[in-house]
C-alpha cells in the first residue's frame, strides 16, 4: 500500500512520456507554425484563449499521430523511437487510444463553439481517410488530406482565439494562402522518409519522381515566396529577405541529398513555413513594410 503513490506516479509519467513521443517530431511542423499563425492572424488576443487554442491543437495532433503511427510500418526505419515501433504501446492499445481521443476531441471542441465542433468532425474524417482508407499511399490524395488537416488546425485555433463565429477578410485570405502553400509544398516532409515510405508501399512524390520532385522544390519555393510577398504587400527589404530564404531552401533540396541532408532541409523548410505564417502581420500591424 505504501508503494501505491510512487507506482501511480511512475505510471502517469510513463503515459505522459508516451504521449510526448507520439507528438514530439511535430512541434516544429505543426505546433509552432500554427500557433504563430493564430497569434498573427487573430483579430483578438487573449492569453487564456491562446492557451485553450494550444490545448485544442495538441490533442488533435495527438489524435492524428496515434492514428498515423498505428497504421504505419515506415517508423520501424524512419523513427524507431516512436511508441509503437519501440514497443511502449501495442498496435491494439494504440487503436483503443485513438478512438478514445476521437471522442475526447469532439467533446472538447463542443465546449468552444459549433464551428469548432464541426472543424473537429471534418478533421476526424480526414484522418480516417488518410490512414484507414489508405489515401496516404497516393501522392495526390495524401497532399489533399494533409492540407485539409492543416487548415483544420488553423481554423479551429482561429475560432477559439478570436471568439468569433465567422472569419474576417484577413483571416480568410491568410487561411487561403496557407492552404495553397501546404498543398504545393507539403511533400517536403517526404524526402527524408523515402526508405520507410517505400517499405510501407506509399507512393510519395520523391519516390515517384526522385529528380523531378527536387527540381520542383527548386522552382516552387522562390516562386511562392515572391507571390506571397506581393500578396501581403511586403516592403522591398522584407521581400528580398523572404524570397532569399525560399530560394536558399529550394536550392538546398536540389543540391544536398540523402537522409541526413534532407532532415536538415526539412528543418529549414519549416523555418520558411513559419515565415509564411508571419506574413499576415503586415495586414494587421504593418510591421513588414520595410
Amino acid at each position: 500500500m505504501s508503494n501505491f503513490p510512487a507506482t501511480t506516479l511512475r505510471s502517469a509519467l510513463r503515459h505522459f512520456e508516451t504521449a510526448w513521443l507520439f507528438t514530439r517530431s511535430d512541434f516544429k511542423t505543426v505546433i509552432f507554425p500554427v500557433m504563430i499563425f493564430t497569434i498573427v492572424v487573430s483579430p483578438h488576443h487573449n492569453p487564456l484563449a491562446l492557451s485553450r487554442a494550444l490545448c485544442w491543437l495538441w490533442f488533435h495532433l495527438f489524435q492524428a499521430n496515434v492514428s498515423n503511427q498505428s497504421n504505419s510500418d515506415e517508423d520501424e526505419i524512419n523513427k524507431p523511437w516512436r511508441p509503437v515501433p519501440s514497443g511502449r504501446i501495442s498496435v491494439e492499445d494504440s487503436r483503443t487510444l485513438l478512438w478514445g481521443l476521437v471522442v475526447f476531441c469532439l467533446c472538447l471542441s463542443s465546449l468552444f463553439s459549433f464551428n469548432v465542433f464541426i472543424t473537429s468532425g471534418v478533421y476526424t474524417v480526414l484522418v480516417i481517410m488518410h490512414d484507414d482508407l489508405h489515401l496516404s499511399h497516393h501522392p495526390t490524395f495524401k497532399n489533399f488530406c494533409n492540407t485539409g488537416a492543416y487548415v483544420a488546425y488553423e481554423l479551429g485555433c482561429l475560432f477559439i482565439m478570436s471568439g468569433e463565429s465567422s472569419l474576417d477578410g484577413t483571416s480568410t485570405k491568410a487561411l487561403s494562402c496557407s492552404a495553397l502553400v501546404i498543398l504545393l509544398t507539403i511533400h517536403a516532409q517526404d524526402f527524408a522518409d523515402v526508405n520507410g515510405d517505400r517499405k510501407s508501399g506509399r507512393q510519395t512524390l520523391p519516390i515517384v519522381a526522385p529528380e523531378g520532385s527536387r527540381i520542383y522544390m527548386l522552382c516552387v519555393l522562390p516562386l511562392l515566396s515572391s507571390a506571397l510577398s506581393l500578396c501581403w504587400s511586403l516592403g522591398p527589404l522584407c521581400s528580398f529577405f523572404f524570397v532569399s530564404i525560399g530560394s536558399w531552401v529550394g536550392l538546398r533540396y536540389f543540391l544536398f541529398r540523402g537522409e541526413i541532408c534532407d532532415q536538415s532541409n526539412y528543418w529549414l523548410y519549416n523555418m520558411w513555413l513559419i515565415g509564411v505564417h508571419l506574413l499576415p502581420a503586415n495586414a494587421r500591424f504593418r510591421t513588414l513594410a520595410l
Side-chain angles (χ1 to χ4, degrees), residues 158-203:
L158 270 180
F159 279 134
I160 294 169
M161 181 73 169
S162 68
E164 302 287 346
S165 59
S166 60
L167 302 177
D168 64 6
T170 298
S171 298
T172 302
K173 179 180 176 182
L175 272 172
S176 300
C177 289
S178 178
L180 181 64
V181 167
I182 297 300
L183 180 63
L184 295 178
T185 66
I186 190 61
H187 59 272
Q189 66 185 340
D190 296 327
F191 286 92
D193 294 337
V194 164
N195 292 331
D197 286 337
R198 188 177 284 116
K199 179 184 177 182
S200 66
R202 288 182 176 176
Q203 293 296 305

Side-chain angles (χ1 to χ4, degrees), residues 18 50 85 104 108 112 117 130-131 160 171 187 208 273:
T18 300
L50 180 63
F104 177 83
L108 177 66
F112 295 110
F117 177 77
H130 183 272
D131 297 324
I160 294 169
S171 298
H187 59 272
V208 174
L273 187 61

Side-chain angles (χ1 to χ4, degrees), residues 46-147:
N46 180 293
L48 182 58
L50 180 63
S51 64
R52 289 171 176 168
L54 176 59
C55 179
W56 182 91
L57 174 62
W58 184 83
F59 274 109
H60 281 77
L61 175 63
F62 188 19
Q63 174 191 330
N65 283 7
V66 171
S67 174
N68 177 259
Q69 293 170 35
S70 63
N71 277 284
S72 177
D73 296 325
E74 66 180 88
D75 286 337
E76 294 177 11
I77 295 176
N78 294 334
K79 298 178 179 71
W81 47 264
R82 282 178 165 173
V84 174
S86 67
R88 289 182 68 92
I89 185 172
S90 67
V91 173
E92 293 75 17
D93 288 343
S94 68
R95 296 299 295 178
T96 301
L97 173 61
L98 168 63
W99 291 110
L101 284 168
V102 168
V103 174
F104 177 83
C105 287
L106 288 170
C107 292
L108 177 66
S109 300
S110 69
L111 298 177
F112 295 110
S113 70
F114 180 71
N115 286 337
V116 178
F117 177 77
I118 292 298
T119 301
S120 181
V122 171
Y123 172 83
T124 299
V125 171
L126 289 169
V127 170
I128 292 172
M129 291 171 62
H130 183 272
D131 297 324
D132 296 313
L133 300 183
H134 304 295
L135 294 190
S136 62
H137 287 67
H138 189 283
T140 302
F141 292 139
K142 177 177 185 286
N143 280 10
F144 277 111
C145 287
N146 285 334
T147 301

